[in-house]
Amino acid sequence: MPVPVTGPYVAGVDGGGTRTRVLLLARDGATAGRAEGPAALVRPNRPAPAARVVADTVRRAADPAGVALPLPALWAGLAGAGRPRVRRALEAALRDERIARAVRVGTDVEAAFHDAFGGGPGIVVVAGTGSVVLGAAEGGRRLQVGGWGGVMGDEGSGYHIGVSALRAVAAATDRRGPPTALTAALLDSLGLDRPRHLPAWAESATKADIAALAPLAIHTARSGDAPATAVIRRALHALGDQLSAAIRELFPSPSGDPPTVALAGGLISPDGPLRADAEQLVASAGGHLLPRAVTPERGAARLALILPN
């Protein structure tokens, strides 16, 4: 049985459409524990399931390290928690879990931004299951571009690429578009016999399931398949548009220093399949690449350290 650790450890949470990561951090910067769990899917009218995933992941980080609960503070950056009403509901549900005395909920991009820049200026581009750009100017003005969700946005995300790949297969099957190697690749990956079985799969698939098709589409594009290449080019063009819009609005003077741009999310993290392409987007947009990896759960933990408790 581990001995409870004494000390003001706090929890930082990064919850996206694919997984949830937790980091336990001390005030001196020491890490007490980490854990990874399933996606914390935010449903505005049902906050309890997402809160339960976060709480279970925090407990799995704390137990092996001997860190006693409740913690002094927890800051959770969750995809889909952008609206104040949703944040308040999630905070109430997390307080009911009794894992921390002070609880604050924000978005995953806020956590990524804080890890990259703290309270300073810069721009973070997130492209994972979803996509969003968040920037802050020298004077503190903040601007979000994108982050509209799967119906209205998410351009350049894994979900966007997955949907586009499915549509390319539908067009090819109908002879409305050119033949594509995506057809065989997707059917083989999903264990399906024919393209007409894809709609039933897509109807029951989660956003993360569809986003998981993105690496397959990227691989097919790199093999020279024209429709797959078009899917990836459109996704990158969309990310570039979002980044350029943020730079124009926040850093309009071409004579100043180029803004620093951080890249986060499974597609464009240092080991992500579109990292090199995203670095080119930063250069083309007139930005300066942050040379280190962004760890959103660390940014969230640092935000937890400054919560009143």
Side-chain angles (χ1 to χ4, degrees), residues 25-253:
L25 194 67
R27 295 195 180 279
D28 64 0
T31 297
R34 294 177 180 269
E36 185 171 304
L41 297 174
V42 175
R43 295 183 175 90
N45 298 321
R46 291 185 60 216
R52 194 169 302 119
V53 169
V54 170
D56 289 347
T57 311
V58 169
R59 293 183 184 110
R60 288 195 295 104
D63 288 349
V67 174
L69 301 178
L71 301 167
L74 173 146
W75 203 100
L78 304 177
R83 286 174 287 174
R85 179 178 64 84
V86 175
R87 294 187 187 206
R88 289 192 296 268
L90 285 164
E91 287 169 356
L94 283 169
R95 282 192 289 269
D96 288 343
E97 293 285 345
R98 302 184 184 280
I99 52 173
R101 291 187 290 275
V103 172
R104 186 69 53 82
V105 170
T107 63
D108 51 346
V109 68
E110 290 175 277
F113 185 93
H114 194 78
D115 184 62
F117 304 111
I123 297 174
V124 63
V125 181
V126 177
T129 302
S131 67
V132 63
V133 174
L134 179 65
E138 290 284 354
R141 178 195 170 205
R142 285 204 169 197
L143 174 71
Q144 178 175 308
V145 180
W148 291 95
V151 174
M152 293 178 64
D154 272 346
E155 298 93 337
S157 68
Y159 177 77
H160 178 254
I161 291 172
V163 168
S164 297
L166 289 167
R167 288 174 175 168
V169 170
T173 303
D174 287 345
R175 307 295 197 273
R176 295 179 286 113
T180 174
L182 285 168
T183 303
L186 265 61
L187 292 177
D188 182 64
S189 175
L190 299 174
L192 300 175
D193 293 330
R194 56 178 67 94
R196 286 291 176 182
H197 291 164
L198 285 169
W201 175 86
E203 286 171 6
S204 62
T206 65
K207 191 173 181 180
D209 291 335
I210 293 176
L213 301 177
L216 189 63
I218 294 167
H219 176 77
T220 305
R222 289 178 177 160
S223 72
D225 183 75
T229 299
V231 165
I232 304 308
R233 283 178 178 167
R234 286 196 299 270
L236 290 168
H237 182 75
L239 282 180
D241 279 351
Q242 293 177 59
L243 174 58
S244 295
I247 291 177
R248 283 196 309 271
E249 289 294 319
L250 294 172
F251 302 93
S253 175

